[in-house]
């Protein structure tokens, strides 16, 4: 009997979209490799050039560069002139693939191999439960720091500080600030440089990140910033800070409720908690139009959720959603919570909370 419900056109369209995904996943890996090899920065400065000239300028092996250029040309990232065998990265593309431009997507593409690297362990978790700990991701903190340099550090002065009325004036006068889950500490270092009358602290449980943060603060000669290896779920301080921040650091905690309660306790009664975390809804159907829904669920699966589960945690995941965030902030003692979106950082929501 003929299956009359089978839609042949729908099947063909899906098959074409699979081919598209295959190609785009390959381009994503190529963008990551190009980013790590410095090829976009070099090509942005070169005129139309042969693969030999590009390889020499980047100090790389020509055969590898030429094969990589094949992906970039067929992926429509780089232009190619067959007559002269020359390649050119268009200015309009360089704007989104180098640190000189508006936003460097090639940096973010480095998450693809960083996360794919733990696939075997993740598949094992599908069968046996448990999680993959932070220590299994050798380059995570490095790539995270490069990404948050674009969204957090670059956005502090023009967009993030203005979210809290009067914050700039308070920072200028001198206040106590703590960043929880500070990673490589770039946000606090940036603020410590700009506001010498205020004191800044950063806590993270990653020894590698804290040592990187301490070295950076030391080489900048900063005396008003300190970094400590500490568990965010056990801050253990009372009414010590005027401002506490966390950047992309709640949803992947093992014990996010304990972290939020500790932050609430550590804030002075009139203090402010400013939290950046992934934008989205806790309802999957509401994320269908999310511009990077599949990307965020995949980052969550391959990192945020599993690292939390690895420490016996809640496994909230990156798509815990604004609904859950607002509820948990309320439960932690924050009576007023505003939910903000900033144009420069469409991946995140910014919560401003007071007790
Ligand atoms: C997604 S990263 C964000 C890092 C940094 N805020 C940034 O924007 O670059 C989350 C950070 O939370 C830290 N973290 C996770 N669980 C923690 C815990 N229980 N105590 C302290 N830090 C924790 C991780 O080590 C990591 O640096």
């Amino acid at each position: 009997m003929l299956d009359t419900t089978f839609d042949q056109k729908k099947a063909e369209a899906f098959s074409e979209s699979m081919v598209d995904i295959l190609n785009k996943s390959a381009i994503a890996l190529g963008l990551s490799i190009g980013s790590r090899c410095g090829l976009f920065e070099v090509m942005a400065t070169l005129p139309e050039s042969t693969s030999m000239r590009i390889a020499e300028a980047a100090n790389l092996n020509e055969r590898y560069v030429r094969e990589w250029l094949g992906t970039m040309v067929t992926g429509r990232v780089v232009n190619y002139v067959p007559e002269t065998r020359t390649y050119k990265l268009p200015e309009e593309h360089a704007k989104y693939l180098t640190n000189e431009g508006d936003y460097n997507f090639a940096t973010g593409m480095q998450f693809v191999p960083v996360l794919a690297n733990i696939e075997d362990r993740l598949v094992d978790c599908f069968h046996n439960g448990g999680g993959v700990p932070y220590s299994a991701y050798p380059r995570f903190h490095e790539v995270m720091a490069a990404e948050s340099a674009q969204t957090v550090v670059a956005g502090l002065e023009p967009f993030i500080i203005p979210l809290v009325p009067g914050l700039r004036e308070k920072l200028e006068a001198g206040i106590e600030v703590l960043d929880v889950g500070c990673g490589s500490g770039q946000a606090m270092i940036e603020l410590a440089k700009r506001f010498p009358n205020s004191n800044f602290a950063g806590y993270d449980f990653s020894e590698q990140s804290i040592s990187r943060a301490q070295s950076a603060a030391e080489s900048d000669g900063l005396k008003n910033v300190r970094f400590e290896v500490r568990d965010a779920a056990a801050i253990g301080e009372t009414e010590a800070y005027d401002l506490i921040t966390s950047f992309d650091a709640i949803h992947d905690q093992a014990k996010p409720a304990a972290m939020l309660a500790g932050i609430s306790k550590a804030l002075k009664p009139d203090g402010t908690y400013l939290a950046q975390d992934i934008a989205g809804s806790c309802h999957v159907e509401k994320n269908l139009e999310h511009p990077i829904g599949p990307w965020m669920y995949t980052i969550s699966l391959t990192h945020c959720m599993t690292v939390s589960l690895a420490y016996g945690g809640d496994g909230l995941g990156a798509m815990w959603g604004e609904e859950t965030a607002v509820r948990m902030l309320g439960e932690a003692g924050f009576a007023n919570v505003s939910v903000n979106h900033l144009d420069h950082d469409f991946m995140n929501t910014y919560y401003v909370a007071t007790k």
Side-chain angles (χ1 to χ4, degrees):
M1 247 181 66
L2 266 178
D3 180 355
T4 50
T5 61
F6 188 87
D7 184 337
Q8 184 59 28
K9 281 208 167 73
K10 192 172 167 183
E12 282 165 16
F14 183 73
S15 155
E16 278 170 28
S17 86
M18 288 295 106
V19 172
D20 189 44
I21 289 169
L22 198 63
N23 281 324
K24 285 182 175 156
S25 62
I27 297 166
L29 186 54
L31 289 169
S32 169
I33 294 167
S35 170
R36 290 188 70 183
C37 291
L39 276 157
F40 297 116
E41 308 288 341
V42 164
M43 288 188 75
T45 65
L46 290 176
E48 273 185 12
S49 304
T50 61
S51 55
M52 185 54 83
R53 171 126 194 245
I54 295 167
E56 276 169 8
N59 202 17
L60 296 166
N61 180 291
E62 189 275 339
R63 183 66 194 96
Y64 280 86
V65 170
R66 183 157 34 99
E67 205 68 359
W68 173 83
L69 282 165
T71 305
M72 293 298 111
V73 171
T74 54
R76 308 294 194 273
V77 175
V78 166
N79 294 344
Y80 180 59
V81 182
E83 294 75 20
T84 48
R85 295 191 180 175
T86 50
Y87 303 82
K88 173 75 187 140
L89 177 66
E91 210 182 323
E92 297 79 4
H93 296 190
K95 186 176 156 80
Y96 293 103
L97 296 173
T98 64
N99 288 335
E100 300 305 312
D102 280 10
Y103 182 81
N104 189 346
F105 280 97
T107 298
M109 298 292 167
Q110 292 187 35
F111 276 119
V112 173
V114 165
L115 301 177
N117 200 30
I118 56 92
E119 190 187 49
D120 289 353
R121 293 185 69 165
L122 198 71
V123 169
D124 184 59
C125 293
F126 270 78
H127 291 289
N128 301 309
V132 183
Y134 261 96
S135 55
Y137 304 77
R139 295 190 63 246
F140 176 81
H141 290 293
E142 186 187 330
V143 178
M144 187 68 229
E147 180 63 18
S148 61
Q150 309 200 75
T151 52
V152 178
V153 182
L156 278 171
E157 184 75 41
F159 311 119
I160 301 173
I161 291 174
L163 283 173
V164 184
L167 179 57
R168 189 187 309 278
E169 292 72 19
K170 285 182 186 164
L171 284 163
E172 275 162 5
I175 57 172
E176 299 297 317
V177 183
L178 169 66
D179 186 28
V180 183
C182 66
S184 306
Q186 301 172 110
M188 291 303 101
I189 289 175
E190 181 70 12
L191 291 179
K193 284 186 205 161
R194 284 174 190 253
F195 301 104
N197 293 333
S198 289
N199 292 315
F200 300 88
Y203 298 162
D204 200 289
F205 75 169
S206 159
E207 288 180 15
Q208 189 196 344
S209 294
I210 290 298
S211 115
R212 198 200 307 247
Q214 286 168 335
S215 307
E218 215 170 292
S219 72
D220 283 333
L222 292 168
K223 299 276 178 249
N224 60 336
V225 63
R226 68 183 165 88
F227 293 102
E228 285 180 34
V229 175
R230 288 241 211 153
D231 184 352
I235 295 175
E237 289 170 280
T238 306
E239 297 186 4
Y241 300 98
D242 303 279
L243 173 71
I244 299 184
T245 57
S246 68
F247 298 104
D248 195 10
I250 308 171
H251 67 265
D252 66 355
Q253 290 289 316
K255 298 176 186 160
M259 169 186 172
L260 293 176
I263 286 174
S264 177
K265 188 163 175 264
L267 265 183
K268 293 180 185 173
D270 60 349
T272 300
Y273 175 37
L274 172 60
Q276 175 223 40
D277 215 289
I278 302 300
S281 167
C282 64
H283 303 290
V284 68
E285 67 277 16
K286 291 192 180 167
N287 292 323
L288 279 167
E289 303 309 319
H290 192 298
I292 48 168
W295 177 235
M296 288 322 314
Y297 277 108
T298 300
I299 288 200
S300 180
L301 173 70
T302 57
H303 186 266
C304 317
M305 181 198 73
T306 192
V307 293
S308 172
L309 294 175
Y311 303 101
D314 296 350
L316 276 182
M319 298 309 263
W320 64 319
E322 290 177 359
E323 305 91 337
T324 315
V326 169
R327 174 177 55 75
M328 289 185 72
L329 284 164
E331 287 166 0
F334 291 101
N336 313 296
V337 179
S338 75
V339 177
N340 307 274
H341 298 106
L342 296 174
D343 287 344
H344 85 287
D345 182 10
F346 72 94
M347 284 191 211
N348 290 293
T349 301
Y350 288 78
Y351 303 94
V352 177
T354 54
K355 290 196 262 188

